[in-house]
Structure formats: structure tokens, C-alpha cells
Amino acid sequence: MQKLLIIDDNDEILRQLKWGLSKSNYELIFARDGEEGLKLFKKHSPPVVTLDLGLPPHENGIGEGLRCLGEMLRMDPTAKIIVITGNEEKDAALQAVRLGAYDYYKKPVNLDELKVMVDRAMYLQNIESENQELRRKTVNESGIVGECARMQVVFNQIDRVAASDVPVLICGESGTGKELVARAVHEKSLRADMEMVPINCGAIPENLLESELFGHEKGAFTGANKLVKGKVEYADKGTLFLDEIGEMPMTLQVKLLRFLQEMVVTRVGGRKEIPVDVRIITATNIDIQKAMEEGTFREDLFYRIGVMTINLPPLRERGEDIELLANYFLKSVSVGQRTASKRFSEEALACIKGYEWPGNIRELENRVKRAVIMATGPEIMPEDLGMKGDEPLRQKLQTNDISLKDARFLLERDMVENALEKFSGNIVKAAASIGVSRPTFYDLMKKHGLKSS
């Protein structure tokens, strides 16, 4: 039986709810004040709660009720909390909904109506739980979220290459999750109990990169006050992950090639050859074939690091994975920041699915984090994501992949918006400037979601 927590200090209402809901399919839990309610909420994790806003010690106010609402949503952002208020407390009820309450019900209590509301909340909670379980199952055992056909190819490649020690090259645009794939290969390998040591070849100046990789002896150069081991030595018996290897200078490519051929390290300023046992995984966001043709990347090095190549698709080519990832990040961010559960509006989802995502998964995650902070209500709107409702259309316009109808829509919106800006929100002048009547201009503003100020 699903649990229903009822928090109310009114004996008559408690008796009424206990009698009226006793034959329901719910396990009823009762609390008479906020502290007791919070303890029972933490203990039983009920999916649905009815909460009287006027709780002791301030029965005539709403402060204690709103405090309990906030605490419960911090403990479980997915809980459906129905606030019960007096007729004169509509503004308080709306405030509670803005803070994350599922709905509100005005006294006096009509059991049939309240039961319908509770049943609906329970049903919605069940649906959300099933969707959450489905999303959980779509997270590959490697910790990577994805269902599309191209990601299934990636998952299969990870499984095939993990058990061997062959070098792996991961190719993909910036933000597609190359380090996640590298870690997945390492954690599925026979070296999983040892370290995976990452180094970003594009983030370290050329004069420091050799020392970072191979280490240096004391006195090797000015400031070298002690012996320092390099990343390669620290990765001994484990995995060395060379991110953005396409940015590695040519002089260092030669030294890396020698290391890969002989598996020995010579520290900067030293003569001793130190044998190491590491697996090499590399990644790049550049076109490695083009780099070889242009002479900026050694062909013999490529054949050493690219025994197996995994190509990660950009987010724009992953179809329904875009919405799946957006909801996954939304849930993760809400839980991590202990904020009330939010959902994407239809307009926001349309923007998410229509956007090209040049920054790929990293950009999507950052925009969702921003949206959770910026959204003032339970629904996330395009502006919370830092998007405009017409952004997907504008991207299509840039690539000439747009219909005449959509092009007219954008032109119309720009003319109305520019007229409003030019005449500082003066509707009469703005309407006259584009040759339409004032009522028509108001209709255009409403159509495009524009305001006069």
C-alpha cells in the first residue's frame, strides 16, 4: 500500500480524513505539527502529503507550513505535496505552489474532491517513478546515458576493447564525453584496480608538457629543486589518458612515439631508463586525418595510438537522446541542489530538441543547471535555458534549411520586436511604422510572446 502523510492540527479534520480515507488503498500516517510531520516524512518517504499551512505554534500564520513544505521538498524533490488552506489564504496557497507544492485545496474539506486530488497525485507520482526507473535503465553500466543506435555502437566498442591492452583513440567534438568513455574502458579493463591518470595535452604549455609527462631530475632546469615523477610513472600498472593529443607539439610527439615503442621513461635532465607498464588511451576533437595530411600530426604516432578508434557522435546526431539527457541532468541537478522538482515546458523541450548544441553534452548540462536556478516556478521556460523560443528556427535559417512559412514567421517577429524597441514600447507609433493597425499589432505581439516594455 502506498503511504499518505496527513499533517494537520485540527482534530475534526483529522477525524474526517481518517474516516473518509480509511477504505482507500493508502496507508494513512498522521502528524499534528510540523516537527512530527518532518520526522514521519523522513522515516516513511510518502509519495503524497496533505499539509495544512496553518500549523502550530503559529496557527494563524503560514510560516510554519511553508517551512515544512520547503524541508520536505529538500528531502525529496519528487514528493507531491497538497497544501490545505482557508478561503482567505489563496495568495498563500499560490505562494506554496510557486515554491513547489503540487496543488492546493481550500477548506472546508469535501472528501470526494480531496480524494480525487490525492488519487491524481499518486497516479502522477507512479508515472514519474516509472519514468525515472526507465531513465535509470538507460544509463549504460559504464555510467554513460544513451539509447540511440550510434551510442549502442559505442557501448559495444567499449566492451570489446576493454579486456585487451591495445591503445584506444577516442574521437569526437568538444563536450561529447570522451573522458567518460576513456574511464569506462579503464574501469572495465583488467587494470581497473589501478589508477587512470589523465593529462590534457592542450592545456599545458609546451615547455612544461615534457616534464609533466616524463618527470624531471633535481637541477634539470631553473626551479627544479627536487626530483619529480611524471604522469607516465604514476600511471604504472594502470592507464594513461592523453586528452586532446592532437594539440601535442611535434617535438614531443617524437618523444612520445619512442616511449610507446620501448615503454621506458627518461626523466628530463636524467639518463636512467625507467621501464613502465601502462595502457594508453588518447582523445582528440580535431580531424586527425586532416592533421596528418597537413603535417601537424605524425602518421607513425597515429598508427601507435589508434589501434582501436571509437568515434563519439555529436549531440545533435543523437535523436531522442537529447531529451533523455536533458531530463537526466534536470533530475540530477534538482537532487544535487536539493531544490523542488521541476519539469520542462513544451516550449523549452521544443527548443532543446531543435537546437544544434555546438557545445554538445557539456553545453546541455550547463544550460540545465542554469535553468534550475533561474526558473521561478515548477516549469522551465526557454528563457530559463538562456534560449529564445525561435532559436531553433534561426539556426535553420543560417543553414538555409527552413520553410518559407518559418522564414516569414521570423521576419514578422523581428519587425515587431524592432518596432517596439525603436519607439520605446509606444504601440501606436510601432504599429504605424510597419503599416498595421493597433489591434493587429497587439495580436502580433501576443503571437510572438512580446511585451511593450
Side-chain angles (χ1 to χ4, degrees), residues 321-333:
D321 276 3
I322 298 174
E323 183 176 351
L324 180 74
L325 280 159
N327 281 303
Y328 175 79
F329 290 136
L330 178 60
K331 176 68 176 176
S332 300
V333 172

Side-chain angles (χ1 to χ4, degrees), residues 30-64:
F30 296 93
R32 295 181 55 83
D33 58 50
E35 286 305 316
E36 184 183 11
L38 290 174
K39 289 178 182 176
L40 292 173
F41 183 86
K42 186 175 182 179
K43 178 180 179 181
H44 295 282
S45 300
V48 178
V49 179
T50 67
L51 171 67
D52 182 14
L53 284 184
L55 291 174
H58 308 294
E59 294 89 334
N60 296 323
I62 62 170
E64 180 65 5

